[in-house]
């Protein structure tokens, strides 16, 4: 004799329902909140690294822009600076670059996180809008810091 246990069709998603109702599962541990200052410092360190690595390219670019009457290809300009001044010539103005890069990036990441955190506390603020507004103000403050530093760096090169 054949007996049927159930004639009801099974929903393929039924096997996931037990996950939502089980009470014996451990609660997830809360994620540790990271201070905006830590984000700022991480941004500053990345800015310092970026400026240090890319500075020789920026030095060549600055020289190419200052010699706008005669076009000199990038590779030739690089070799010219290196042969006249050595590696020190490629890193002229580095102090201004890393100071500006570190300070501006620290400010940008810090401001971004502080504003985003405050906006996310507002009930009527859509979550998709807060990163846009935060990035705008972080970038604005960053530019106010970086532009004068960039002018100093350019004059040092």
């Amino acid at each position: 004799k054949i007996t049927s246990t159930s004639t009801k069709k099974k929903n393929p998603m039924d096997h996931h329902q037990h996950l939502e109702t089980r009470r014996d599962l451990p609660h997830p541990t809360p994620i540790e909140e990271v201070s905006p200052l830590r984000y700022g410092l991480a941004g500053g360190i990345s800015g310092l690294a970026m400026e240090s690595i890319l500075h020789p390219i920026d030095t060549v670019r600055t020289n190419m822009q200052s010699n706008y009457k005669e076009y000199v290809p990038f590779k030739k300009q690089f070799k010219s600076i290196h042969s006249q001044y050595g590696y020190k010539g490629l890193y002229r103005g580095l102090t201004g670059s890393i100071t500006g890069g570190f300070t501006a990036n620290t400010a940008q990441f810090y401001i971004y996180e502080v504003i985003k955190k405050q906006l996310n506390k507002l009930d009527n603020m859509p979550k998709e809008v807060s990163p846009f507004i935060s990035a705008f103000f972080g970038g604005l403050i960053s530019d106010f810091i970086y532009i004068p530093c960039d002018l100093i760096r350019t004059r040092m090169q």
Side-chain angles (χ1 to χ4, degrees), residues 12-155:
M13 297 305 285
D14 279 346
H15 67 281
H16 291 292
Q17 287 178 345
H18 73 279
L19 294 176
E20 297 169 10
T21 58
R22 284 189 59 181
R23 302 266 184 231
D24 60 336
L25 292 175
H27 293 287
T29 55
I31 296 173
E32 181 183 326
E33 191 169 322
V34 179
S35 162
L37 185 57
R38 285 182 121 182
Y39 284 108
L41 288 174
I45 292 168
S46 70
L48 188 141
M50 179 195 64
E51 293 293 340
S52 299
I53 292 167
L54 297 178
H55 191 76
I57 295 168
D58 194 54
T59 299
V60 174
R61 178 192 58 87
T62 301
N63 280 339
M64 290 175 75
Q65 289 174 334
S66 64
N67 299 328
Y68 61 89
K69 292 180 182 178
E70 177 188 345
Y71 173 75
V72 178
F74 183 88
K75 191 174 182 179
K76 189 172 184 180
Q77 185 77 30
F78 185 93
K79 285 181 179 181
S80 172
I81 294 169
H82 183 263
S83 66
Q84 286 180 344
Y85 306 104
Y87 285 107
K88 277 186 170 184
L90 292 168
Y91 281 95
R92 279 188 317 225
L94 179 63
T95 306
S97 276
I98 60 174
T99 302
F102 178 81
T103 309
N105 280 6
T106 299
Q108 181 174 5
F109 280 76
Y110 176 78
I111 297 293
Y112 174 85
E113 287 299 323
V114 167
I115 292 175
K116 185 179 79 170
K117 194 179 217 181
Q118 295 304 313
L119 291 175
N120 285 340
K121 289 180 183 178
L122 301 174
D123 292 333
N124 59 349
M125 175 65 65
K127 298 292 184 214
E128 299 80 22
V129 176
S130 65
F132 172 77
I133 294 171
S134 303
F136 171 79
F137 284 107
L140 184 70
I141 300 301
S142 173
D143 284 350
F144 273 111
I145 295 168
Y146 191 75
I147 289 171
C149 292
D150 192 46
L151 179 63
I152 292 167
R153 175 200 49 82
T154 302
R155 290 186 177 164

